[in-house]
Amino acid sequence: MPTAAARVVLVTGVSRFLGARVASTLQADPGIERVIGVDTVPPTTPLGRTEFVRVDIRTPSIAKVIASAGVDTVVHLSLVTAQSVPRPKVKELNVIGTMQLLAACQRSPDMRKLVVRSSAAVYGSSPMDPAVFTERDEPVEAPAHGYAKDAVEVEGYVRGLQRRRSDLTVSVLRFVNFLGPGVDSPLTRYLRMPVVPTVLGFDPRLQFVHEDDGIEVLRRMTVEDHPGTFNVAGDGVLLLSQALRRAGRPFVPMPAQSLSVLGDMGRRFAGQTGFSPELLRLLMYGRVVDTSRLVAELSWRPKHSTEAAFAEFLSAHGMGQPGPLGLLERLGSALIRH
């Protein structure tokens, strides 16, 4: 398929970490004439030649921005995961905002490409899950709460746009949890708690994607044509118990129902409003995705494995003074790789 060059790119959520980094990466591409970043609040860091427009994508104003600038490529990154924001507002931002954005894309004759940040959370987490999810797999138990449910709805609206505008190149990226020096998320705050509660009887498998690898995937999808839905993750997995030992964090197993009453601890130590239902299910059943479709499509592999992304996260936050067991785990992993 011939590549339609992205000349005028609009990035949503540009005042947040991921949006700012993606905009910075795209603006360095000499083939891109303009990068327009939109958000509801001004960015806290300089955006270089990226043009900032303060606009709420939940309003029809986003259509005016797309039309007036002749935007041909939209990179939608503004899905909100924060538990500190009231749930009704998060749903509005994620679902209503996406609906307005997609409606604007549909009406614009200049639009050629849409890249959407989604989440592997669309697969849910259940005791009946397959060992590894491919993009063709449906969730055993559809997400019924929070951000995961929002991501499912967002993907549904994206499919609707594809039916109405079959001329568009649409890439949907199902990212596992980001890790890296600049990432702040419910999971990173959980992992940084001084004493980490875990669910008694469960030791879930986890995957991470390093922020640099995630941004490279978004860049490639923007400047090249790769239509379809793709899982994005670093190679390999870590058990939660392995991760916590390597982080040097003491952990306390407790019944699942007890974690739901730890809101005060979450607010004090991790900046959370408690443990959301989707985070609790992840901490019980985990989730692993297959990335072979992405690797084949891009002829590329992430530079950081799940293990390496976690190690860099620990280093950036001054964590990780493993005892003998943690050192043995790392030695074992190194021997397996080589």
Side-chain angles (χ1 to χ4, degrees), residues 136-175:
R136 296 182 300 275
D137 291 322
E138 296 292 329
V140 177
E141 295 181 8
H145 305 280
Y147 171 72
K149 184 178 180 183
D150 291 351
V152 171
E153 292 187 39
V154 163
E155 288 198 12
Y157 289 122
V158 170
R159 288 191 293 272
L161 173 66
Q162 289 179 279
R163 289 192 292 269
R164 296 187 294 272
R165 285 286 305 269
S166 59
D167 59 308
L168 295 183
T169 298
V170 179
S171 304
V172 176
L173 304 172
R174 292 174 175 169
F175 287 98

Side-chain angles (χ1 to χ4, degrees), residues 80-284:
V80 178
T81 62
Q83 292 173 237
S84 56
V85 179
R87 174 62 195 151
K89 184 176 181 181
V90 169
K91 187 172 183 66
E92 270 194 25
L93 290 166
N94 289 343
V95 179
I96 305 302
T98 298
M99 290 174 65
Q100 285 282 4
L101 179 69
L102 298 185
C105 291
Q106 180 182 336
R107 292 194 296 268
S108 171
D110 298 309
M111 271 294 296
R112 296 290 178 267
K113 184 180 300 182
L114 173 68
V115 179
V116 178
R117 174 207 176 181
S118 185
S119 169
V122 298
Y123 297 117
S125 293
S126 96
M128 297 174 288
D129 284 345
V132 180
F133 280 104
T134 71
E135 292 86 351
R136 296 182 300 275
D137 291 322
E138 296 292 329
V140 177
E141 295 181 8
H145 305 280
Y147 171 72
K149 184 178 180 183
D150 291 351
V152 171
E153 292 187 39
V154 163
E155 288 198 12
Y157 289 122
V158 170
R159 288 191 293 272
L161 173 66
Q162 289 179 279
R163 289 192 292 269
R164 296 187 294 272
R165 285 286 305 269
S166 59
D167 59 308
L168 295 183
T169 298
V170 179
S171 304
V172 176
L173 304 172
R174 292 174 175 169
F175 287 98
V176 299
N177 287 283
F178 278 86
L179 274 190
V183 177
D184 178 40
S185 69
L187 183 64
T188 62
R189 292 192 290 274
Y190 167 79
L191 293 170
R192 293 177 64 189
M193 294 176 73
V195 178
V196 182
T198 62
V199 184
L200 183 65
F202 294 90
D203 193 10
R205 296 173 303 150
L206 303 175
Q207 279 177 308
F208 306 116
V209 59
H210 191 280
E211 60 191 67
D212 291 348
D213 290 321
I215 288 159
E216 174 61 10
V217 171
L218 287 162
R219 185 194 71 81
R220 290 280 304 274
M221 293 292 172
T222 304
V223 302
E224 303 167 4
D225 281 357
H226 300 288
T229 299
F230 302 92
N231 294 330
V232 187
D235 293 336
V237 300
L238 274 177
L239 296 175
L240 177 60
S241 61
Q242 291 176 314
L244 294 178
R245 282 195 291 268
R246 294 182 189 193
R249 287 296 192 258
F251 53 95
V252 180
M254 59 181 60
Q257 58 268 30
S258 300
L259 267 70
S260 63
V261 301
L262 290 178
D264 288 341
M265 179 184 290
R267 280 190 292 273
R268 181 176 179 186
F269 293 123
Q272 300 188 66
T273 55
F275 296 92
S276 67
E278 60 266 30
L279 179 58
L280 276 174
R281 292 184 71 83
L282 182 68
L283 296 178
M284 293 172 68

